[in-house]
């Protein structure tokens, strides 16, 4: 199995998943409480004309499958409809807010990786000793702390009491923006640190017990080379964890953006749900699906890069 | 070159002692084997020499490598690894880093300043591999090739002492012989000091100048290989050698010592072999007998009676395999074929064989020759693509198409015993419950005690779960369950290859007895020709799914007609230094 076929297969799989989920996303319109017309009307008065206009515009008379195909065709062409709340095109609203959420997620992942993986490695190397116990405890604490509460705590301590970081807003220019995003990213990262730490520690502990590590040491390989062997082999479980962390963080942005008053996708989602702005909610759900599918695809490609057996179709051994 | 004195290994957390008072030395260029059954402490000794004990274990005692005391100096030990002393390990499938190309792994061990571009191909050539192996990942290599890559990697820093811990146990017989011949050639060419760890006394005699015999974490006997082979000065060594069945003649019975290897602490303060020794005296229990010179030069024995051991009985004479009268076969296979999806060549390419009631028919061949597929087809675990399987005259070629009653009937006719009894016994149930279930399922009175006695198990073990039994006891339980319904056919897939020789001898004796008493026919899958010689009446030799030779055991093994059979025979260690060639 070569690279091309591997990539093709994974891409096809991703496309199927996205297609299936898009049907679900379209169904949101019918799942929302109240009739479809009411939902689409929003706060506008329900007169005969407005209802007829809605009927015509959304082709509500057509069979549901036709409606879905039409909607999906529009989506493919980049037309996500108009917001009921603001009347603006949904695609424009998303485009305004995507960069912030992506930046926040990336920043949070980076922070989590920088803290979690080295701590996990440290724990594995000092297995059973005081440093390890500390690391494990920290991991449990991080995992069980809800990002919302952590966000508030960080806000009170670092923005309120100490005043080191701004409490809200996005700032101007790269440095200022980073400075503004640090607290929210840290709030997102706390849980992820716990997860990465535990996964990387467990994976490395397992690898360090393997025969190939003993053999490498027995033939006198330098300690960093041996650690490199073990780390490389624990990469696959760590990638799995990283994938979970990133998707979890995408979900976590919702609360954190609200806490820190950041105009990202998360706060848009909260506003739109409150307002029953179904086209925006649909678009956001679809975007999230795509992002998560993309993350999983990247993780799969990562597996293949990390493990030649995946790429070259080797056996289990 | 290598000296170990008074080495003990303990587990401080539990207070257990695993090894004590282990002493031996190896002169420069000499080869010494440490021999013992599973759990006797061979691997721990090797790892203590390298300073690489598993976490949680601590060693004490003197270890000297290359004239330098290292047991109290972990940094010196670290510096010595690779360049002074190196280790080759047992399992070629776990020994290499699965994610790194073979050549790179070898290059990682090269001394600083060496050029991988010239050195790696040179090392590969030294172990008999083409240079392009360097560019392959371990999973793209066969077991034998991986072990050769392992050897090349262990040699990369030009060690003066090579330790090899069961380097070929996981390999096929013919591959084992090739790899051992290679190791010996390399050892002689490089004039390395060599410490071989093995459970096979004959292999040790063939490969090494001197032999150290260990039992329950202690050294029992030390001597030159040729001397030790001729005469043993410790009853355990004698028993160990006697329990290894010869491949060249059939014995009336394999001498088996009852019981199994105890844990070190269970026999503290006495001779570890006391409970199994037929010569034991009161003084054997009074204290641990120290290693003392006994007889010829360099011989040491830890037996208080080393000086007055009765002369070893003459090697038992061979007997002819009993002739059985032909009768209706209980198993009749015709033209069995099976190709697994996605594999290029068939696992079985038209195999025909028969088993008569009370007859033991052996199927031998290397791994991948189709032996296990054959066994699984007979018991309905695998469906053949073509061919017929007649069990007790009934067609059982396709279990999926048989009625439920016919399947039940087939299962009562044929039972299976596997290599690893642990995976086939329910870990949550006691032995008694498992056996009772088997008896009741067959509509027999639930006389568990009688069944356990039949297979030589103490009925008191009925209350235990499989995890609390030894390997030999577990295999007996599996056998008891299989024979509970007195099946006409037992299909045994490598039933003794995971067992220690002394336990293997017991189980082989048990199977031979069951055949006489229950008149059970057996299809006996194995790779071990010595076992075949002792047990089987007839023999089929499989190669790549095809039967290349068959006939009565004595005829096939004494006058093999096919070159492949000759290869298999030549790969059995004979205990002389001519082997492995
Ligand atoms: N990491 C460990 N922790 C605790 N006990 C251990 C450990 N490793 C080995 N032992 C125990 O030490 C004893 C000797 O083990 P060792 O591995 O040296 O035996 P061995 O002679 O190499 O056996 P085998 O032929 O099965 O490889 C055994 O009783 C085993 O259970
Ligand atoms: S010391 Fe005693 S018990 Fe031990 S082997 Fe010798 S005779 Fe047997
Ligand atoms: Mg061992």
């Amino acid at each position: 199995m070569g690279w091309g076929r591997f990539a093709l297969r994974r891409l096809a799989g991703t496309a199927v998943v996205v297609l299936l989920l898009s049907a679900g996303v379209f169904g949101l319109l019918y799942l929302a409480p109240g009739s479809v017309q009411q939902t689409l009307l929003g706060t506008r008065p329900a007169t005969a004309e407005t209802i007829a206009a809605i009927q015509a515009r959304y082709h509500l008379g057509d069979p549901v499958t036709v409606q879905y195909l039409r909607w999906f065709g529009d989506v493919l062409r980049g037309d996500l409809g108009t917001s009921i709340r603001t009347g603006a095109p949904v695609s424009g609203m998303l485009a305004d807010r995507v960069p912030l959420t992506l930046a926040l997620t990336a920043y949070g992942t980076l922070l989590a990786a920088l803290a979690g993986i080295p701590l996990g490695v440290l724990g594995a190397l000092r297995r059973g000793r005081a440093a390890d116990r500390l690391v494990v405890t920290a991991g449990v604490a991080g995992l069980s702390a809800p990002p919302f509460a952590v966000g508030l705590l960080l806000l009170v301590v670092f923005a309120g009491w100490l005043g080191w970081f701004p409490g809200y807003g996005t700032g101007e220019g790269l440095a200022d923006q980073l400075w503004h995003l640090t607290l929210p990213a840290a709030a997102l990262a706390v849980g992820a640190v716990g997860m990465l730490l535990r996964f990387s520690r467990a994976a490395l502990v397992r690898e360090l017990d393997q025969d190939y590590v003993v053999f490498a040491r027995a033939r006198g390989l330098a300690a960093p080379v041996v650690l490199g062997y073990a780390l490389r082999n624990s990469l696959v479980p760590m990638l799995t964890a990283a994938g979970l962390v990133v998707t979890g963080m995408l979900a976590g942005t919702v609360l954190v953006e609200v806490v820190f008053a950041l105009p990202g996708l998360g706060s848009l989602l909260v506003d739109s749900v409150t307002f029953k702005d179904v086209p925006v909610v649909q678009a956001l759900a679809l975007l999230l699906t795509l992002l998560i599918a993309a993350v999983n695809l990247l993780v799969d490609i990562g597996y293949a890069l990390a493990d030649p057996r995946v790429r070259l179709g080797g056996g289990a051994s | 070159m290598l000296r170990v004195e008074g080495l003990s290994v303990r587990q401080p957390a539990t207070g257990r002692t695993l090894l004590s008072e282990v002493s031996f030395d190896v002169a420069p260029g000499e080869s010494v084997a440490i021999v013992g059954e599973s759990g006797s402490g061979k691997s721990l000794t090797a790892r203590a020499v390298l300073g690489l004990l598993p976490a949680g274990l601590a060693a004490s005692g003197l270890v000297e490598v290359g004239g330098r005391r290292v047991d109290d100096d972990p940094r010196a030990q670290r510096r010595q690894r690779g360049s002074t002393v190196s280790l080759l390990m047992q399992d070629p499938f776990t020994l290499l880093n699965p994610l790194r190309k073979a050549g790179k792994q070898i290059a990682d061990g090269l001394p600083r300043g060496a050029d991988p571009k010239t050195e790696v191909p040179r090392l590969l050539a030294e172990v008999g591999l083409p240079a392009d192996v360097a560019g392959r990942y371990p999973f793209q290599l066969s077991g034998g090739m991986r072990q050769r890559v392992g050897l090349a990697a262990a040699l990369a820093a030009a060690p003066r002492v090579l330790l090899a811990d069961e380097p070929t146990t996981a390999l096929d017989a013919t591959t084992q012989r090739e790899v051992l011949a290679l190791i010996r050639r390399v050892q002689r060419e490089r004039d390395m000091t060599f410490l071989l760890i093995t459970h096979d006394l004959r292999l040790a005699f063939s490969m090494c100048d001197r032999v150290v015999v260990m039992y329950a974490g202690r050294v029992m006997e030390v001597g030159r290989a040729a001397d030790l082979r001729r005469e043993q000065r410790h009853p355990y060594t004698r028993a160990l050698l006697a329990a290894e069945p010869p491949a060249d003649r059939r014995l009336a019975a394999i001498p088996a010592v009852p019981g199994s290897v105890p844990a070190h602490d269970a026999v503290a303060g006495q001779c570890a072999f006391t409970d199994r020794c037929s010569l034991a005296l009161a003084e054997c229990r009074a204290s641990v007998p120290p290693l003392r010179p006994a007889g010829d030069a360099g011989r040491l024995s830890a037996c208080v009676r080393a000086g007055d051991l009765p002369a070893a009985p003459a090697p038992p004479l061979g007997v002819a395999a009993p002739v059985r009268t032909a009768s209706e076969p209980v198993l009749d296979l015709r033209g069995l074929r099976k190709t697994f999806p996605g594999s290029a060549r068939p696992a079985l390419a038209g195999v025909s064989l028969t088993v008569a009631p009370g007859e033991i028919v052996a199927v031998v061949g290397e791994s991948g020759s189709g032996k296990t597929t054959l066994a699984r087809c007979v018991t309905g675990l695998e469906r053949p693509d073509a061919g017929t399987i007649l069990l007790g005259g009934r067609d059982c070629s396709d279990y999926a198409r048989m009625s439920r009653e016919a399947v039940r009937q087939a299962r009562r006719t044929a039972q299976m015993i596997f290599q690893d009894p642990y995976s086939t016994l329910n870990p949550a149930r006691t032995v008694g419950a498992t056996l009772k279930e088997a008896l009741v399922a067959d509509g027999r009175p639930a006389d568990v005690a009688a069944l356990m006695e039949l297979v030589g198990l103490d009925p008191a073990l009925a209350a235990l779960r499989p995890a609390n039994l030894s390997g030999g006891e577990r295999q007996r339980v599996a056998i008891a369950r299989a024979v509970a319904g007195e099946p006409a056919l037992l299909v045994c897939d490598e039933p003794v290859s995971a067992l220690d020789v002394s336990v293997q001898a017991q189980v082989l004796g048990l199977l031979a007895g069951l055949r006489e008493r229950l008149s059970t026919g057996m299809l006996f899958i194995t790779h071990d020709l010595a076992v075949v010689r002792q047990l089987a009446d007839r023999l089929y030799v499989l190669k790549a799914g095809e039967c290349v030779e068959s006939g009565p055991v004595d005829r096939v093994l004494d006058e093999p007609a096919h070159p492949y059979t000759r290869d298999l025979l030549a790969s059995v260690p004979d205990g002389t230094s001519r082997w492995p060639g």
Side-chain angles (χ1 to χ4, degrees):
Chain A
M1 192 170 70
W3 259 115
R5 270 184 63 193
F6 172 80
L8 218 63
R9 244 185 34 192
R10 291 298 144 98
L11 263 177
T14 309
V16 169
V17 170
V18 170
L19 259 178
L20 284 176
L21 285 172
S22 76
V25 166
F26 175 73
L28 282 176
L29 183 57
Y30 285 84
L31 288 176
S35 78
V36 177
Q37 287 95 328
Q38 264 176 5
T39 309
L40 290 174
L41 269 175
T43 49
R44 277 172 284 177
T47 62
E49 291 104 79
T50 51
I51 289 181
I54 290 284
Q55 284 276 11
R57 194 158 157 247
Y58 290 91
H59 306 275
L60 291 181
D62 291 351
V64 178
T65 39
V66 176
Q67 289 183 39
Y68 163 69
L69 286 177
R70 185 173 289 123
W71 172 80
F72 195 64
D74 287 347
V75 168
L76 287 185
R77 264 177 269 120
D79 175 5
L80 295 165
T82 44
S83 162
I84 295 168
R85 189 166 53 111
T86 65
V90 175
S91 44
M93 295 168 74
L94 293 193
D96 285 347
R97 287 161 175 259
V98 162
L100 181 89
T101 299
L102 287 189
L104 188 57
T105 310
Y107 195 5
T109 309
L110 189 71
L111 286 182
L114 285 180
I117 294 177
L119 279 177
V121 171
L122 178 77
L125 292 180
R126 293 262 175 282
R127 187 176 2 164
R129 295 197 230 155
D132 181 31
R133 280 197 290 277
L134 208 67
V135 160
V136 170
T137 319
V140 172
L143 261 184
S144 35
F148 186 66
V150 174
L152 284 177
L153 190 72
L154 290 176
L155 204 58
V156 169
V157 175
F158 290 99
W161 292 354
L162 298 172
W164 292 354
F165 291 95
Y168 55 85
T170 53
E172 301 283 328
L174 190 67
D176 190 36
Q177 276 180 350
L178 270 184
W179 188 46
H180 274 82
L181 284 186
T182 301
L183 274 192
L188 274 178
V190 167
V193 168
M195 180 135 146
L196 281 178
L197 184 161
R198 280 173 49 146
F199 266 81
S200 53
R201 180 183 173 279
L204 193 58
V205 163
R206 197 181 48 239
E207 293 304 327
L208 285 174
D209 264 345
Q210 300 291 316
D211 274 359
Y212 70 83
V213 170
V214 178
F215 183 49
R217 295 177 63 196
R219 51 189 226 269
L221 301 199
V225 178
V226 178
L227 183 60
Y229 276 27
L231 274 177
R232 177 78 200 278
N233 275 280
S234 42
L235 209 57
V236 164
M238 282 195 212
L239 272 172
T240 312
L244 290 173
V245 159
V246 174
T247 48
M249 242 180 232
L250 279 171
T253 52
V254 175
L255 290 172
V256 168
E257 282 177 13
V258 171
V259 171
F260 289 91
L262 295 172
L265 296 175
S267 46
L268 179 63
L269 182 68
V270 172
D271 291 347
S272 308
V273 168
T274 325
F275 200 81
K276 285 207 241 155
D277 192 348
V278 173
V280 179
V281 174
Q282 277 180 322
L284 282 170
L286 200 62
L287 184 62
L288 217 62
T289 311
L290 268 180
L291 285 176
I292 290 174
V295 168
N296 286 334
L297 190 68
L298 284 178
V299 168
D300 273 354
I301 292 174
Y303 286 158
L305 283 176
D307 190 341
R309 286 165 296 186
V310 175
R311 172 166 86 236
L312 303 169
S317 56
Chain B
M1 194 68 199
L2 177 65
R3 194 155 81 90
V4 173
E5 215 169 283
L7 176 71
S8 305
V9 172
R10 290 176 13 91
Q11 188 174 32
T14 59
R16 281 203 307 153
T17 303
L18 303 169
L19 281 189
S20 63
E21 293 301 317
V22 173
S23 306
F24 61 91
D25 49 35
V26 191
E30 194 188 22
S31 56
V32 168
I34 299 186
V35 184
E37 294 177 271
S38 187
S40 56
K42 311 180 295 288
S43 300
L44 289 183
T45 306
R47 291 184 62 169
V49 166
L50 285 159
L52 285 179
L53 282 176
L57 301 186
S60 61
L62 178 134
V63 177
E64 234 180 64
V65 183
R68 200 194 149 120
R69 183 165 178 187
V70 292
D71 54 88
D72 49 0
D73 187 353
R75 294 180 58 193
Q77 249 170 341
R78 198 176 318 148
R79 266 198 311 275
Q80 284 195 336
R81 290 201 287 263
S83 55
T84 308
V85 51
S86 191
L87 171 77
L88 184 59
M89 300 207 305
Q90 170 170 358
D91 189 348
F93 295 92
T94 59
L95 155 96
L96 297 172
N97 177 353
L99 304 183
R100 199 163 167 79
K101 288 184 177 159
K104 292 226 173 98
Q105 300 200 43
I106 296 172
D108 287 338
L110 288 173
R112 205 162 293 160
D115 178 13
K117 279 201 204 63
T118 56
E119 289 302 300
V120 170
R122 196 182 57 71
L123 281 163
L124 283 173
E126 186 175 359
V127 299
L129 289 175
D132 68 315
V133 166
R136 296 210 241 158
Y137 289 102
F139 73 91
Q140 296 170 316
L141 303 171
S142 71
M145 289 165 92
R146 289 186 211 195
Q147 198 59 300
R148 285 167 193 260
V149 170
L151 179 62
L155 295 176
R160 286 183 291 152
V161 183
L162 180 67
L163 273 56
D165 188 353
E166 310 247 14
T168 55
T169 309
L171 301 176
D172 268 332
T174 49
T175 319
Q176 149 161 340
R177 177 168 177 226
E178 285 164 21
V179 171
L180 287 175
L182 167 71
I183 293 178
R184 193 158 72 176
R185 199 198 76 220
V186 169
Q187 184 233 335
R188 288 188 178 155
E189 280 170 7
R190 292 185 169 232
D191 197 21
M192 272 188 304
T193 306
F194 182 49
L195 185 68
L196 173 71
I197 287 171
T198 174
H199 61 273
D200 188 334
L201 204 43
R202 286 210 180 80
L203 194 152
F205 290 155
S206 289
M207 289 287 292
C208 293
D209 306 327
R210 284 195 304 130
V211 174
V212 176
V213 180
M214 287 187 67
Y215 183 77
R218 295 178 183 280
V219 175
M220 293 285 129
E221 186 169 8
V222 182
R224 287 203 300 255
D227 299 344
L228 202 64
R229 178 161 174 256
R230 193 168 8 87
E231 189 190 7
Q232 303 84 39
R233 289 250 165 225
H234 194 288
Y236 174 62
T237 317
R238 242 180 225 187
L240 188 62
L241 192 59
E244 274 184 31
D248 58 353
R249 62 189 191 283
R250 189 184 186 104
L251 304 181
I254 308 167
V257 191
S260 56
V261 187
H264 177 281
D265 288 337
V267 288
Q270 60 178 40
C271 166
F273 194 53
T274 323
D275 293 335
R276 302 171 73 191
C277 181
S278 58
L279 304 169
L281 306 171
E283 78 180 284
C284 305
R285 295 181 188 279
S287 65
V288 180
L291 267 182
R292 275 187 307 226
D296 38 44
R299 177 78 66 108
L300 301 172
S301 167
C303 176
V304 294
R305 302 187 57 180
D308 67 340
L309 281 184
L317 293 176
V319 296
V323 183
R324 286 170 203 275
T325 48
S327 54
E328 252 331 84
V330 49
L331 174 69
D332 191 350
L333 298 182
R334 293 185 199 148
L336 217 54
R337 288 175 177 282
K338 170 93 193 167
T339 305
F340 286 102
S343 105
R345 73 184 177 75
L348 292 175
V351 175
S352 305
L353 63 76
T354 60
V355 181
E359 188 186 33
I360 301 186
V361 172
V363 177
V364 301
E366 311 252 273
S367 76
S369 60
K371 304 184 303 268
T372 294
T373 311
L374 184 73
R376 293 174 61 87
C377 284
V378 171
T379 44
L381 297 172
E382 208 77 70
R383 187 159 51 150
D385 300 335
T388 50
I389 300 173
L390 296 178
L391 261 180
R394 268 180 265 259
D395 187 354
C396 298
S397 314
D398 186 351
Y399 277 67
R401 291 222 306 270
M402 287 154 56
S403 72
R404 194 172 298 176
E405 177 53 32
V407 170
R408 229 171 63 83
Q409 184 64 38
R411 297 232 188 282
R412 287 180 62 169
T413 313
Q415 281 284 337
M416 186 148 177
I417 302 172
F418 298 87
Q419 173 172 355
D420 175 15
Y422 201 62
S423 61
T424 61
L425 294 173
N426 183 341
R429 311 196 62 162
T430 63
V431 170
T434 299
L435 295 182
K436 188 166 167 195
E437 182 186 60
L439 285 166
V440 170
D442 203 66
R444 288 171 192 269
D447 190 352
V448 172
L451 180 59
M452 291 184 71
E453 265 157 28
L454 178 72
V455 298
L457 276 177
D458 180 356
L461 297 180
L464 299 184
R465 283 173 224 287
N468 301 324
L469 300 179
S470 72
E473 287 165 344
R474 265 180 230 145
Q475 192 58 289
R476 281 172 199 265
V477 173
I479 293 173
R481 187 181 56 180
V483 300
E486 301 196 2
L489 179 72
L490 263 187
V491 180
C492 313
D493 190 358
E494 302 270 12
V496 291
S497 52
L499 303 176
D500 278 326
V501 270
S502 69
V503 183
Q504 160 176 303
Q506 295 164 11
V507 172
L508 290 179
L510 166 65
L511 289 173
L514 284 176
R515 172 260 284 274
E516 297 301 340
R517 272 199 268 174
L518 307 177
S519 200
T520 315
M522 293 188 200
L523 185 63
F524 197 95
I525 313 274
T526 179
H527 67 276
D528 187 342
L529 290 179
V531 167
V532 171
R533 173 74 87 168
Q534 301 312 315
L535 201 63
D537 305 314
R538 281 189 307 121
L539 161 70
Y540 292 81
V541 182
L542 283 197
K543 184 185 183 208
E546 266 178 277
C547 178
V548 296
E549 184 162 8
S550 68
V553 165
D554 290 348
R555 213 269 298 131
V556 175
L557 295 188
D558 291 337
E559 300 144 35
H562 195 277
Y564 182 66
T565 316
R566 285 201 284 272
D567 268 0
L568 286 180
L569 264 172
S571 60
V572 181
D574 62 1
T576 69
S577 55
R578 288 186 304 279
W579 195 91

